[in-house]
Coordinates of all heavy atoms in Angstrom, one line a residue:
Chain A
S192 N 63.7 26.1 -66.0 CA 63.1 25.4 -64.9 C 62.7 24.0 -65.4 O 62.6 23.0 -64.5 CB 61.8 26.1 -64.4 OG 60.7 25.9 -65.3
L193 N 62.6 23.7 -66.7 CA 62.2 22.4 -67.2 C 63.5 21.6 -67.4 O 63.4 20.4 -67.8 CB 61.4 22.5 -68.4 CG 60.1 23.2 -68.4 CD1 59.4 23.4 -69.7 CD2 59.1 22.3 -67.5
G194 N 64.6 22.2 -67.2 CA 65.9 21.5 -67.4 C 66.3 21.2 -68.7 O 66.9 20.2 -69.0
H250 N 51.0 14.6 -73.0 CA 51.5 15.2 -71.7 C 51.7 16.6 -72.1 O 51.9 17.1 -73.1 CB 52.9 14.5 -71.4 CG 53.5 15.0 -70.1 ND1 54.4 16.2 -70.0 CD2 53.3 14.7 -68.8 CE1 54.7 16.3 -68.7 NE2 54.0 15.5 -68.0
T252 N 54.2 18.8 -71.5 CA 55.4 19.2 -72.1 C 56.2 18.1 -72.7 O 57.2 18.5 -73.4 CB 56.3 19.9 -70.9 OG1 56.5 18.9 -69.9 CG2 55.7 21.1 -70.3
T253 N 55.8 16.9 -72.5 CA 56.6 15.8 -73.1 C 55.9 15.2 -74.3 O 54.6 15.0 -74.4 CB 56.7 14.6 -72.1 OG1 57.3 15.3 -70.9 CG2 57.6 13.6 -72.6
Y390 N 34.1 19.6 -59.0 CA 34.8 19.0 -60.2 C 35.2 17.6 -60.0 O 35.6 16.9 -61.0 CB 36.1 19.9 -60.5 CG 37.0 19.9 -59.3 CD1 38.0 18.8 -59.2 CD2 37.1 21.0 -58.4 CE1 38.9 18.9 -58.1 CE2 38.0 20.9 -57.3 CZ 38.9 20.0 -57.2 OH 39.7 19.9 -56.1
M396 N 42.0 13.3 -59.0 CA 42.9 14.2 -58.3 C 44.3 14.5 -58.8 O 44.7 15.6 -58.7 CB 43.0 13.6 -56.8 CG 43.5 14.5 -55.7 SD 45.4 14.3 -55.6 CE 45.4 12.9 -54.5
M397 N 44.9 13.4 -59.3 CA 46.3 13.6 -59.8 C 46.3 14.6 -61.0 O 47.3 15.2 -61.3 CB 46.8 12.3 -60.3 CG 47.2 11.4 -59.1 SD 48.3 12.2 -57.9 CE 49.9 11.9 -58.7
R400 N 45.2 18.4 -59.4 CA 46.2 19.2 -58.6 C 47.0 20.0 -59.4 O 47.7 21.0 -59.0 CB 47.1 18.1 -57.9 CG 48.1 17.4 -58.8 CD 48.7 16.2 -58.2 NE 49.5 15.4 -59.2 CZ 50.7 15.7 -59.5 NH1 51.4 16.6 -58.8 NH2 51.4 15.0 -60.4
R401 N 47.2 19.8 -60.8 CA 48.0 20.6 -61.7 C 47.2 21.9 -62.1 O 47.7 22.8 -62.8 CB 48.3 19.9 -62.9 CG 49.4 18.8 -62.6 CD 50.7 19.4 -63.0 NE 51.9 18.6 -62.5 CZ 52.3 17.6 -63.2 NH1 51.9 17.2 -64.4 NH2 53.3 16.9 -62.7
R407 N 39.9 24.2 -63.7 CA 38.9 23.1 -63.3 C 37.6 23.4 -63.7 O 36.8 22.6 -64.3 CB 38.9 22.9 -61.8 CG 40.3 22.3 -61.3 CD 40.3 22.3 -59.8 NE 41.7 21.9 -59.3 CZ 42.0 22.0 -58.0 NH1 41.3 22.5 -57.1 NH2 43.3 21.6 -57.7
Q450 N 62.8 36.7 -56.0 CA 64.1 36.0 -55.9 C 65.0 36.1 -57.1 O 66.0 35.4 -57.2 CB 63.7 34.5 -55.5 CG 62.7 33.8 -56.5 CD 62.0 32.7 -55.9 OE1 61.5 32.7 -54.8 NE2 62.0 31.6 -56.7
D454 N 65.0 29.4 -59.5 CA 63.9 28.6 -58.9 C 62.5 29.0 -59.4 O 61.5 29.1 -58.6 CB 63.9 28.8 -57.4 CG 65.2 28.3 -56.8 OD1 65.8 27.5 -57.5 OD2 65.6 28.7 -55.7
I455 N 62.3 29.1 -60.7 CA 61.0 29.3 -61.2 C 60.3 27.9 -61.2 O 60.8 26.9 -61.4 CB 61.1 29.8 -62.7 CG1 61.9 31.1 -62.8 CG2 59.8 29.9 -63.4 CD1 61.3 32.2 -61.9
S456 N 59.0 28.0 -60.9 CA 58.2 26.8 -60.8 C 57.9 26.2 -62.2 O 57.3 26.9 -63.0 CB 56.9 27.1 -60.1 OG 55.9 26.1 -60.5
P457 N 58.4 25.0 -62.5 CA 58.1 24.4 -63.8 C 56.7 24.2 -64.1 O 56.2 24.3 -65.1 CB 58.8 23.1 -63.8 CG 59.2 22.8 -62.3 CD 59.2 24.1 -61.6
T458 N 55.9 23.8 -62.9 CA 54.5 23.6 -63.1 C 53.8 24.9 -63.6 O 53.0 24.9 -64.4 CB 53.8 23.1 -61.8 OG1 54.6 22.1 -61.3 CG2 52.4 22.7 -62.0
S459 N 54.2 26.1 -62.9 CA 53.6 27.3 -63.3 C 53.9 27.6 -64.8 O 53.1 28.1 -65.6 CB 54.1 28.5 -62.5 OG 53.6 28.3 -61.2
M461 N 54.6 25.5 -67.3 CA 53.9 24.8 -68.3 C 52.4 25.2 -68.4 O 51.7 25.1 -69.4 CB 54.1 23.3 -68.0 CG 53.0 22.6 -67.3 SD 53.4 20.9 -66.9 CE 52.2 20.8 -65.5
Chain B
A15 N 54.4 21.2 -52.5 CA 55.0 21.6 -53.8 C 54.2 21.1 -55.0 O 54.2 21.7 -56.0 CB 56.5 21.1 -53.8
I16 N 53.7 19.8 -54.9 CA 53.0 19.4 -56.1 C 51.5 19.3 -55.9 O 50.8 18.6 -56.6 CB 53.6 18.0 -56.6 CG1 53.5 16.9 -55.5 CG2 55.0 18.2 -57.0 CD1 54.1 15.7 -55.9
N17 N 51.0 20.0 -54.8 CA 49.6 20.2 -54.7 C 48.7 19.0 -54.5 O 47.7 18.7 -55.1 CB 49.1 20.9 -56.0 CG 48.7 22.3 -55.7 OD1 48.3 22.7 -54.6 ND2 48.9 23.2 -56.7
L18 N 49.2 18.0 -53.7 CA 48.4 16.9 -53.4 C 47.4 17.2 -52.3 O 47.5 16.7 -51.1 CB 49.4 15.7 -52.9 CG 50.4 15.3 -54.0 CD1 51.4 14.4 -53.4 CD2 49.6 14.5 -55.1
E19 N 46.5 18.1 -52.6 CA 45.6 18.8 -51.6 C 44.9 17.9 -50.7 O 44.9 18.1 -49.4 CB 44.5 19.5 -52.4 CG 45.0 20.9 -53.0 CD 44.0 21.4 -53.8 OE1 42.8 20.9 -53.9 OE2 44.2 22.4 -54.5
D20 N 44.4 16.7 -51.2 CA 43.7 15.8 -50.3 C 44.4 14.8 -49.5 O 43.9 14.0 -48.8 CB 42.6 15.2 -51.1 CG 41.7 16.1 -51.9 OD1 41.5 17.2 -51.4 OD2 41.2 15.8 -53.0
M21 N 45.7 14.9 -49.6 CA 46.6 13.9 -49.0 C 47.3 14.4 -47.7 O 47.4 15.7 -47.6 CB 47.7 13.4 -49.9 CG 47.1 12.7 -51.1 SD 48.3 12.0 -52.2 CE 48.6 10.5 -51.3
L37 N 53.0 6.5 -56.5 CA 52.1 7.7 -56.3 C 51.7 8.3 -57.6 O 50.8 9.0 -57.7 CB 53.0 8.8 -55.6 CG 52.4 9.9 -55.0 CD1 51.2 9.5 -54.1 CD2 53.3 10.7 -54.1
G38 N 52.4 7.9 -58.7 CA 52.0 8.4 -60.1 C 52.6 9.8 -60.5 O 52.0 10.4 -61.3
L39 N 53.8 10.1 -60.0 CA 54.3 11.4 -60.3 C 54.9 11.3 -61.7 O 55.2 10.2 -62.2 CB 55.3 11.9 -59.3 CG 54.8 11.9 -57.8 CD1 55.8 12.5 -56.9 CD2 53.5 12.8 -57.7
D40 N 55.2 12.5 -62.3 CA 55.8 12.5 -63.6 C 57.0 13.5 -63.8 O 57.5 13.9 -62.7 CB 54.8 12.8 -64.7 CG 54.4 14.3 -64.6 OD1 54.9 15.0 -63.8 OD2 53.5 14.8 -65.4
S41 N 57.5 13.6 -64.9 CA 58.8 14.4 -65.1 C 58.8 15.8 -64.5 O 59.8 16.3 -64.1 CB 59.1 14.4 -66.6 OG 58.1 15.0 -67.4
I42 N 57.5 16.5 -64.6 CA 57.5 17.8 -64.1 C 57.6 17.8 -62.6 O 58.3 18.6 -61.9 CB 56.1 18.4 -64.5 CG1 56.0 18.5 -66.0 CG2 56.0 19.8 -63.8 CD1 56.9 19.6 -66.7
D43 N 56.9 16.7 -62.0 CA 57.1 16.6 -60.5 C 58.5 16.3 -60.1 O 58.9 16.8 -59.1 CB 56.2 15.4 -60.0 CG 54.7 15.6 -60.3 OD1 54.2 16.7 -60.0 OD2 54.1 14.7 -60.9
L45 N 61.1 17.5 -61.4 CA 61.7 18.9 -61.3 C 61.4 19.6 -60.1 O 62.2 20.3 -59.4 CB 61.3 19.8 -62.6 CG 61.8 19.2 -63.9 CD1 61.0 19.9 -65.0 CD2 63.3 19.3 -64.1
E46 N 60.1 19.5 -59.6 CA 59.7 20.1 -58.4 C 60.4 19.5 -57.1 O 60.8 20.2 -56.3 CB 58.1 20.0 -58.2 CG 57.4 20.7 -59.3 CD 57.3 22.2 -59.1 OE1 57.8 22.7 -58.2 OE2 56.4 22.8 -59.9
M49 N 63.8 20.7 -57.0 CA 63.9 22.1 -56.3 C 63.8 22.0 -54.8 O 64.4 22.8 -54.1 CB 62.8 22.9 -56.9 CG 63.3 24.1 -57.8 SD 62.3 24.8 -58.9 CE 61.0 25.5 -57.9
D52 N 67.1 21.3 -53.4 CA 68.0 22.4 -53.5 C 67.6 23.4 -52.5 O 68.5 23.8 -51.6 CB 67.9 22.9 -55.0 CG 68.9 24.1 -55.1 OD1 69.7 24.3 -54.2 OD2 68.9 24.8 -56.1
K53 N 66.3 23.8 -52.5 CA 65.9 25.0 -51.6 C 66.1 24.6 -50.1 O 66.5 25.4 -49.3 CB 64.5 25.3 -51.9 CG 64.3 26.4 -52.9 CD 62.8 26.8 -52.9 CE 62.5 27.9 -53.9 NZ 61.1 28.0 -54.1
K62 N 71.5 13.5 -64.1 CA 70.1 12.9 -64.1 C 70.1 11.5 -63.4 O 69.2 11.2 -62.7 CB 69.5 12.7 -65.5 CG 68.8 14.0 -65.9 CD 67.8 13.8 -67.0 CE 67.1 15.1 -67.3 NZ 66.9 15.5 -68.6

Side-chain angles (χ1 to χ4, degrees):
Chain A
S192 78
L193 298 174
H250 184 266
T252 56
T253 306
Y390 60 83
M396 191 268 274
M397 285 306 277
R400 73 195 172 87
R401 287 266 169 83
R407 293 170 184 169
Q450 53 203 48
D454 297 339
I455 298 305
S456 156
T458 310
S459 291
M461 98 186 157
Chain B
I16 61 179
N17 253 328
L18 298 166
E19 283 172 6
D20 302 334
M21 294 185 87
L37 194 55
L39 306 187
D40 70 3
S41 58
I42 300 289
D43 297 312
L45 296 165
E46 299 279 3
M49 248 162 64
D52 183 9
K53 264 190 186 166
K62 271 199 173 137

